[in-house]
Amino acid sequence: MTALLDVKNLQTHFFTRDGVAKAVDGVSFSLDRGQILGLVGESGSGKSVTGFSILGLIDPPGRVAGGQILFDGDDLLAGGEAIMRNLRGKRIAMIFQDPMMTLNPVLRVDTQMVETVRAHDNVSKAEALRRSREALVQVGISSPDERLQSYPHQFSGGMRQRVAIAIALLHKPDLIIADEPTTALDVTIQAQILSEVQNICAQSGTALIWITHDLAVVSGLADRLAVMYAGRIIEEGPTSDVISNPRHPYTRGLIDSVPQGKRHGAMLTQIKGMTPSLLKLPQGCKFAPRCPRADRVCEVEPTLDPAGPDRSVRCHHPHSEANGKATS
Amino acid sequence: MTEIATNTPVRIDSPSKRIAKQFIEDPVAVVGLILFGLVALIAIAAPWLAPQNPYDLAQLNIMDSSLPPGETSFDTEMTYWLGTDQQGRDMLSAIMYGLRISLLVATVSLALAITIGTIVGVFAAFFGGRLDSIIMRIVDLQLSFPAILIALILLALLGRGVDKVIMALVIVQWAYYARTVRSSAMVERSKDYIDAARCLGLPSRRIMFRHLLPNCVPPLIVVATVQIAQAIALEATLSFLGVGVPITEPSLGLLIANGYDYLLSGNYWISVFPGIALVVTIIAINLVGDRLRDVLNPRLQK
Amino acid sequence: MSFDTILQIDGVSKRFSKDLDLAERTARKLGAKIAPATVHAVDTVNLDIRRGEVLGLVGESGCGKSTLGRMVAGLTTPSEGRILYNGQDVSTLKGAAARDAALKIQMIFQDPMSSLNPRLQVREIVGEAPRFHGIVQRNQMASYVEDLLDQVGLDPSMGKRYPHQFSGGQRARIGIARALAVRPHFLVCDESVAALDVSIQAQVLNLFVKLRQDFDLTYLFVSHDLGVVEHISDRIAVMYLGRIVELGESEDLIARPNHPYTQALVSEIPTFETGKKIYHAIEGEIPSPMNPPTGCHFHPRCPHAFDRCRVEVPALKEVAPGRLSACHLNDRAT
Ligand SMILES: Nc1ncnc2c1ncn2[C@@H]1O[C@H](COP(=O)(O)OP(=O)(O)OP(=O)(O)O)[C@@H](O)[C@H]1O
Ligand SMILES: Nc1ncnc2c1ncn2[C@@H]1O[C@H](COP(=O)(O)OP(=O)(O)OP(=O)(O)O)[C@@H](O)[C@H]1O
Ligand code: SF4
Ligand SMILES: [Mg+2]
Ligand SMILES: [Mg+2]
């Protein structure tokens, strides 16, 4: 069986006044039906741009400069805007950090949902309304009939995000790309949304790309993790393996820098330095200036190589496979 | 131990340098800027550039009256490139001096109106509450009447004179600045650096003028470029209507008015050339202003 | 108790009311029953902060954490109650005494960019207040500022740069240096690391820990992130809709949360899972502080709520040594 989504060597560049920002530089991954991929990385690492590229939503000065995006066997980049428009919203849906990117503040929720249904499916209004109602129930909104007749501003932030998710679900898409949909929400609301998303994917076999900067959030949700740094995937593999045994020094640093009960009051292990500017990336390994294991070899850029079962890592000196002891 | 962040971020230009860089990317705006530079230069240097002092009656020769452009003087060697008016005044010189008066009135009134408007606006935004609502009511009330109407009434009361026109223009214009400054100051005031300054025990006056005010300037520049063109036009209108500057110090508007009577008898140049000067000036300023607005508007950035 | 209290929050409330507009005021004068909409942002909070400790304050968005922090920092005046610093009500002090007391409590803000004046150089940002208050002499200014920048882990030669030339983490450090410049004893940190990337967040949290030792500081550390608060705090106060619902020693509170709301929060601390986690959610949304629920504010979402919870406000009572909780269940058990 071929993968639902196969991204090969994706290059998305922004041609700005100050130079070319290679926001995504050679990203490859694939995703099967019903699988959840967590795309993790710090601000500016290119997570959103990757998501937008798949949806064909990159605006000038940005452009997909190379690579392939195969969706169910079709090359999205070769297909042109018409094909993309047909897929977008129907077979691939997106959820944004700010639900108001999806919701129109001056239209009632039912109007918006019915419109979305009928944009791709030629069904009666009543049928469209029935499906909207069903989607709202699916994301755990109580008294959906009342809610359908409200305006977005009458909802709380968490509820708005759930409506946005419901809209994404209307066409039972094969793939949902969720760009930090819970970052602006409280922990308790975040947990609600995570549990609903988890159920939906399990029930309907929808594949999901969950973009976030918070490793902990996806660690309990995703099947696979891809960690991005400076426009590249630097580590990829099954979630539990990556979390319990991070092989890239950056992944390890990320995990260690999250405060975690046990080391209460002590100093956190920190990654020194700061995230580099895309316009001034170092030669060789992009993480080298911050990396505790860097040496001369790292002046040559490492490739994303297989590292253990079903995993890959982009590092000259990865931590060893056994519980993270140094190899070199 | 905390690490000293080793790699420094990319060197970013200072805001003014960035704005200058972006400004010159639009050739039309650059043309506008050059035109405006010329106009300003002519206005400032009129006494040295002009072939004749149009106010010095001794230099005028009634025999040269109403000569068309390009004619030479009756007794001297002088060529009147833009013709003369009915008193034998060289139109080129008159326009240069007229431009001087027009720009003087506009810039002085602009400076005064900005100062008053800014202080009022910052006060209103910083202290808020009742003071704010009273001031903003006055501003709204004033802005709901056409500027020309208010200016006409004021000048009817005050009488003619350069100082009177300036006063009228200030009274007409301060409200624009007050409103602009207040709205950007409201935004800035809600930012944390103002709270931080309060927390550090700095007095209100210092916070207002050292922290709040400088951050409200960019939108002010945009309004000012639009308004200076308005002020020039308004002054011209008032002078044209005969309530503006006195006849002894003719501005562009008054020159146009003077020539108006002769337009039908074919002496077009007395009115048309000052008119062109006025239009060029206003267009140049607007071109610069439009570009500045684009460059300074943070929403269009990035 | 024998602890040395540096700051006492004594029955403090804060209400915000939306002013009526002209039409509503007129209608009201004519007898219409329009009351100004009131938000009870902070509701009778009592809290003692001990000298040298880090007190964490957690709660969901809109529960009044920032408002409480701003009152402590003197940026907002309480509607009711007093805030005593070293036993003195700061708001009753006059002149130089008031100023000195106010300077002792400083605030570190959330957004590293908007909390720095974009038009001032870093050395001016950091040096303005100490020079204005005469804390240092003019000729020692440069070295004073360089010293501070060094303390917070910035290259002292960066003093002549403007805020936009720094990264987020560096800006946060500048904000910290600015506060330290007036030699405070007490820092209110309002979501001070929330806007930072994970790797940078760790750097700044470490800086807070280091500075606490170097400068003998006491912190009120406000955050919605229980993970962060747990890491840095000695004690934690949990806030829900304007009220403190639980207070206790950090490790103990996380290990054995008493209040049902704290229990829910603790179970949702994101942790690294090495298997799929089944998320359980607290039912319902956070109610609006405009019209909070009667009785215990948490009862509409509480799995254990019973009749009494709907009518009677539970008092914050000691349920174990050093642990306060406001829940009726505690009366039931005994
Ligand atoms: N329109 C644009 N013009 C220029 N550069 C851009 C543009 N959009 C994005 N970029 C650059 O692409 C890089 C990656 O951006 P992206 O939004 O994918 O980051 P991200 O990983 O989603 O970060 P965040 O967590 O902050 O959302 C950034 O460095 C950004 O500067
Ligand atoms: N100046 C104000 N005027 C009116 N209402 C206010 C004001 N400041 C805060 N509030 C209200 O008081 C309540 C508490 O706000 P506060 O900012 O203290 O919450 P918070 O706990 O800090 O939330 P967050 O985590 O979102 O920062 C909110 O409902 C808010 O809308
Ligand atoms: S008082 Fe009642 S409603 Fe409130 S937390 Fe306790 S059990 Fe739940
Ligand atoms: Mg993003
Ligand atoms: Mg807050």
Side-chain angles (χ1 to χ4, degrees):
Chain A
M1 197 185 93
T2 56
L4 175 68
L5 179 75
D6 201 356
V7 176
K8 288 182 183 160
N9 196 25
L10 180 68
Q11 307 264 353
T12 307
H13 300 173
F14 287 89
F15 300 86
T16 66
R17 193 185 310 280
D18 307 312
V20 180
K22 298 185 177 173
V24 172
D25 197 3
V27 162
S28 308
F29 62 88
S30 72
L31 189 64
D32 293 331
R33 279 170 204 283
Q35 213 174 37
I36 303 181
L37 171 76
L39 195 55
V40 203
E42 290 182 273
S43 187
S45 57
K47 310 180 295 290
S48 301
V49 172
T50 305
F52 285 132
S53 302
I54 296 170
L55 280 163
L57 289 177
I58 299 290
D59 293 323
R63 180 155 60 77
V64 176
Q68 263 190 327
I69 301 174
L70 299 175
F71 180 73
D72 218 2
D74 301 329
D75 190 343
L76 296 186
L77 295 177
E81 177 61 21
I83 294 188
M84 199 57 244
R85 205 174 312 135
N86 225 348
L87 287 178
R88 204 186 294 146
K90 186 162 168 60
R91 296 193 60 198
I92 310 180
M94 182 133 188
I95 308 169
F96 300 92
Q97 172 168 359
D98 178 4
M100 294 315 275
M101 296 261 294
T102 314
L103 299 173
N104 184 333
V106 298
L107 293 181
R108 271 181 15 188
V109 169
D110 53 357
T111 322
Q112 301 188 41
M113 294 188 82
V114 166
E115 242 171 42
T116 314
V117 174
R118 306 225 291 177
H120 290 289
D121 287 348
N122 193 4
V123 295
S124 73
K125 222 170 159 180
E127 167 64 12
L129 208 56
R130 194 193 59 74
R131 271 165 60 177
S132 311
R133 193 177 176 284
E134 199 181 277
L136 286 184
V137 173
Q138 209 177 353
V139 295
I141 288 186
S142 48
S143 54
D145 294 307
E146 235 169 82
R147 292 306 182 180
L148 273 172
Q149 295 181 20
S150 322
Y151 290 88
H153 69 84
Q154 293 168 322
F155 293 94
S156 69
M159 210 117 79
R160 253 181 242 162
Q161 192 58 279
R162 267 184 271 176
V163 174
I165 295 175
I167 291 181
L169 290 174
L170 279 175
H171 289 283
K172 306 218 177 330
D174 296 316
L175 172 64
I176 298 179
I177 299 175
D179 190 359
E180 316 224 18
T182 57
T183 305
L185 302 176
D186 282 309
V187 263
T188 56
I189 309 294
Q190 168 171 307
Q192 284 176 359
I193 289 185
L194 286 174
S195 71
E196 277 143 19
V197 166
Q198 214 169 27
N199 287 337
I200 289 162
C201 285
Q203 284 163 16
S204 59
T206 304
L208 175 68
I209 299 180
W210 189 274
I211 296 175
T212 179
H213 64 269
D214 192 344
L215 252 177
V217 166
V218 279
S219 69
L221 175 75
D223 303 301
R224 295 183 71 80
L225 273 188
V227 184
M228 286 190 76
Y229 188 80
R232 292 150 178 76
I233 290 180
I234 51 100
E235 178 155 14
E236 208 261 347
T239 306
S240 53
D241 296 355
V242 175
I243 296 289
S244 59
N245 180 17
R247 305 211 45 200
H248 197 284
Y250 175 67
T251 317
R252 162 155 305 217
L254 269 191
I255 292 176
D256 285 347
S257 51
V258 175
Q260 284 221 71
K262 292 156 210 107
R263 282 163 297 152
H264 170 82
M267 289 284 180
L268 294 165
T269 326
Q270 63 185 39
I271 306 177
K272 67 177 180 190
M274 57 201 192
T275 25
S277 151
L278 283 182
L279 297 172
K280 239 181 81 175
L281 286 179
Q283 292 286 317
C285 176
K286 305 307 167 217
F287 185 60
R290 306 177 68 187
C291 181
R293 317 188 115 204
D295 61 13
R296 294 295 303 272
V297 185
C298 303
E299 285 165 24
V300 177
E301 170 137 38
T303 49
L304 189 64
D305 293 325
D310 209 14
R311 295 183 63 172
S312 39
V313 62
R314 187 190 288 274
C315 178
H316 292 299
H317 307 294
H319 291 271
S320 79
E321 233 172 299
N323 48 34
K325 295 269 152 52
T327 44
S328 51
Chain B
M1 286 309 296
T2 41
E3 287 279 338
I4 290 182
T6 40
N7 47 347
T8 51
V10 261
R11 173 102 208 141
I12 308 165
D13 290 334
S14 70
S16 46
K17 203 164 164 190
R18 193 201 67 224
I19 287 165
K21 260 189 195 165
Q22 267 172 279
F23 186 93
I24 56 174
E25 272 169 26
D26 181 6
V28 180
V30 175
V31 171
L33 190 63
I34 293 172
L35 268 182
F36 180 68
L38 272 177
V39 168
L41 186 75
I42 292 173
I44 293 165
W48 298 278
L49 288 180
Q52 183 184 76
N53 181 352
Y55 305 144
D56 185 359
L57 293 176
Q59 287 188 26
L60 305 186
N61 190 338
I62 198 69
M63 297 299 285
D64 287 345
S65 82
S66 304
L67 291 178
E71 289 281 328
T72 32
S73 168
F74 182 74
D75 54 358
T76 62
E77 289 300 285
M78 180 172 169
T79 306
Y80 297 119
W81 293 110
L82 297 182
T84 60
D85 68 3
Q86 63 280 12
Q87 291 165 41
R89 188 179 280 140
D90 174 33
M91 280 316 295
L92 182 63
S93 310
I95 288 172
M96 288 178 162
Y97 274 79
L99 206 54
R100 193 175 158 85
I101 301 275
S102 291
L103 286 187
L104 176 82
V105 170
T107 41
V108 171
S109 67
L110 181 86
L112 289 174
I114 286 187
T115 313
I116 296 172
T118 305
I119 293 175
V120 170
V122 168
F123 260 88
F126 190 77
F127 291 107
R130 181 148 296 176
L131 178 76
D132 183 36
S133 19
I134 292 172
I135 291 176
M136 283 350 263
R137 276 300 124 71
I138 297 174
V139 166
D140 287 343
L141 190 71
Q142 177 169 346
L143 292 182
S144 62
F145 290 101
I148 182 80
L149 183 67
I150 298 177
L152 275 174
I153 295 171
L154 283 171
L155 286 173
L157 295 173
L158 296 170
R160 294 180 82 154
V162 171
D163 52 342
K164 311 275 179 8
V165 177
I166 291 178
M167 204 188 293
L169 288 182
V170 170
I171 292 173
V172 168
Q173 293 185 93
W174 73 274
Y176 289 100
Y177 301 109
R179 187 152 78 177
T180 311
V181 169
R182 175 185 174 266
S183 66
S184 51
M186 290 294 273
V187 174
E188 292 298 323
R189 192 191 66 149
S190 67
K191 293 197 179 158
D192 288 341
Y193 69 87
I194 299 296
D195 279 337
R198 286 175 54 204
C199 219
L200 290 168
L202 301 176
S204 300
R205 204 157 29 97
R206 190 178 175 94
I207 299 177
M208 256 192 294
F209 290 107
R210 189 169 157 81
H211 294 265
L212 195 51
L213 202 141
N215 286 297
C216 304
V217 169
L220 203 60
I221 295 175
V222 175
V223 177
T225 50
V226 176
Q227 279 298 314
I228 193 167
Q230 291 265 345
I232 292 172
L234 193 56
E235 180 275 326
T237 314
L238 292 172
S239 298
F240 183 84
L241 294 175
V243 293
V245 296
I247 202 95
T248 47
E249 291 168 278
S251 68
L252 289 179
L254 198 54
L255 289 177
I256 299 172
N258 284 343
Y260 192 64
D261 302 336
Y262 304 89
L263 209 51
L264 294 179
S265 50
N267 297 349
Y268 66 90
W269 58 89
I270 308 180
S271 216
V272 167
F273 289 126
I276 292 175
L278 183 66
V279 169
V280 167
T281 309
I282 290 176
I283 288 179
I285 294 173
N286 277 333
L287 289 178
V288 174
D290 280 355
R291 183 65 189 157
L292 267 185
R293 182 177 52 215
D294 291 349
V295 175
L296 289 176
N297 187 344
R299 255 174 300 176
L300 296 177
Q301 295 268 310
K302 282 197 191 156
Chain C
M1 241 183 268
S2 61
F3 290 106
D4 179 9
T5 301
I6 183 168
L7 191 108
Q8 191 184 357
I9 299 172
D10 181 18
V12 164
S13 295
K14 180 70 190 178
R15 287 180 295 272
F16 293 104
S17 48
K18 185 180 151 288
D19 286 334
L20 298 174
D21 64 25
L22 198 64
E24 286 168 330
R25 273 206 301 269
T26 322
R28 191 176 180 185
K29 287 225 175 76
L30 295 177
K33 281 208 183 74
I34 300 176
T38 306
V39 179
H40 220 123
V42 173
D43 189 359
T44 346
V45 165
N46 291 298
L47 208 55
D48 288 355
I49 303 174
R50 302 167 188 165
R51 194 177 304 281
E53 81 168 337
V54 179
L55 180 70
L57 184 61
V58 281
E60 285 169 295
S61 180
C63 71
K65 307 180 296 291
S66 298
T67 308
L68 187 59
R70 291 172 59 87
M71 287 193 286
V72 169
L75 289 173
T76 306
T77 42
S79 309
E80 268 159 32
R82 300 176 305 161
I83 292 175
L84 305 177
Y85 178 72
N86 281 334
Q88 275 182 313
D89 187 345
V90 179
S91 64
T92 60
L93 294 177
K94 293 265 174 306
R99 196 199 68 196
D100 288 343
L103 286 183
K104 290 295 172 226
I105 307 178
Q106 286 299 313
M107 184 144 171
I108 314 283
F109 297 86
Q110 167 167 10
D111 180 358
M113 189 63 206
S114 87
S115 64
L116 301 177
N117 185 341
R119 281 175 196 275
L120 295 184
Q121 292 177 353
V122 168
R123 53 178 185 165
E124 297 171 297
I125 290 174
V126 176
E128 181 182 13
R131 198 178 65 215
F132 181 83
H133 295 302
I135 293 174
V136 279
Q137 299 303 313
R138 179 174 277 272
N139 53 4
Q140 282 151 17
M141 204 61 228
S143 65
Y144 186 71
V145 170
E146 280 173 16
D147 234 34
L148 280 165
L149 291 180
D150 190 44
Q151 288 275 4
V152 298
L154 286 171
D155 184 344
S157 68
M158 289 176 168
K160 283 194 185 139
R161 294 206 195 166
Y162 289 90
H164 73 266
Q165 295 172 307
F166 291 88
S167 71
Q170 290 175 321
R171 284 178 202 148
R173 290 164 197 261
I174 298 170
I176 296 169
R178 173 180 59 192
L180 292 178
V182 294
R183 299 184 180 150
H185 290 160
F186 191 105
L187 288 187
V188 179
C189 307
D190 187 6
E191 308 274 5
S192 307
V193 295
L196 303 174
D197 266 328
V198 199
S199 69
I200 310 298
Q201 179 176 311
Q203 294 175 358
V204 175
L205 281 177
N206 282 349
L207 177 63
F208 277 127
V209 174
K210 166 182 170 287
L211 293 176
R212 175 190 182 187
Q213 289 150 7
D214 293 358
F215 290 83
D216 284 332
L217 293 169
T218 305
Y219 293 112
L220 175 62
F221 199 92
V222 177
S223 174
H224 67 274
D225 187 341
L226 194 48
V228 168
V229 166
E230 179 203 5
H231 173 78
I232 197 163
S233 312
D234 302 315
R235 290 194 303 155
I236 296 178
V238 182
M239 213 170 166
Y240 190 78
L241 272 190
R243 296 178 188 154
I244 303 281
V245 296
E246 185 159 8
L247 172 71
E249 300 291 332
S250 205
E251 273 162 273
D252 187 45
L253 183 121
I254 300 290
R256 280 174 297 280
N258 174 281
H259 195 280
Y261 176 62
T262 318
Q263 289 167 2
L265 270 190
V266 167
S267 74
E268 295 315 332
I269 301 179
T271 48
F272 291 116
E273 301 293 327
T274 48
K276 281 230 174 180
K277 175 176 178 180
I278 307 298
Y279 291 92
H280 299 283
I282 312 184
E283 285 300 312
E285 302 273 334
I286 309 160
S288 148
M290 292 264 223
N291 59 54
T294 54
C296 172
H297 281 168
F298 188 56
H299 83 252
R301 302 171 75 190
C302 179
H304 313 292
F306 54 108
D307 289 344
R308 188 177 167 200
C309 306
R310 287 176 198 95
V311 287
E312 192 185 327
V313 180
L316 189 63
K317 285 188 292 209
E318 185 151 49
V319 294
R323 172 75 71 88
L324 304 178
S325 175
C327 174
H328 291 313
L329 288 177
N330 292 312
D331 295 346
R332 250 194 176 181
T334 50

